[in-house]
Amino acid sequence: MARMFRVLGFFTLAIGLMAFAGDLVEMAFLFFLQTAFFVILGYLKFTERTYILLFWGYMIVTFSGFSYWTVFQMDLPL
């Protein structure tokens, strides 16, 4: 399970680099922070249950933030 967090770190790094190449600097830094988070957690040797709980917590925070941003912060397309 720890290896999967390192894999998530690899994919978030790839997305961050593509965002940086596309001049989306804020998005790139957000994904670089997620990369550091996943890689650090990947080397901490937690139990499988802890990794699953951490992932569920990450998903709840991420989807809540994404939903808040899309509903309350983005302008409606006209």
Side-chain angles (χ1 to χ4, degrees), residues 4-73:
M4 288 312 299
F5 270 74
R6 292 189 291 257
V7 170
L8 284 170
F10 170 76
F11 283 115
T12 55
L13 177 64
I15 293 169
L17 290 173
M18 287 187 288
F20 196 71
D23 291 330
L24 300 170
V25 179
E26 294 87 2
M27 178 182 164
F29 286 136
L30 180 65
F31 274 88
F32 292 151
L33 287 173
Q34 289 181 31
T35 298
F37 174 74
F38 284 136
V39 170
I40 289 170
L41 284 178
Y43 284 105
L44 288 180
K45 305 290 184 192
F46 289 132
T47 64
E48 188 169 346
R49 178 183 170 95
T50 304
Y51 279 119
I52 291 172
L53 291 173
L54 282 170
F55 184 71
W56 273 101
Y58 167 78
M59 294 305 284
I60 289 170
V61 169
T62 301
F63 285 133
S64 298
F66 180 77
S67 298
Y68 169 79
W69 189 263
T70 56
V71 171
F72 296 112
Q73 297 295 322

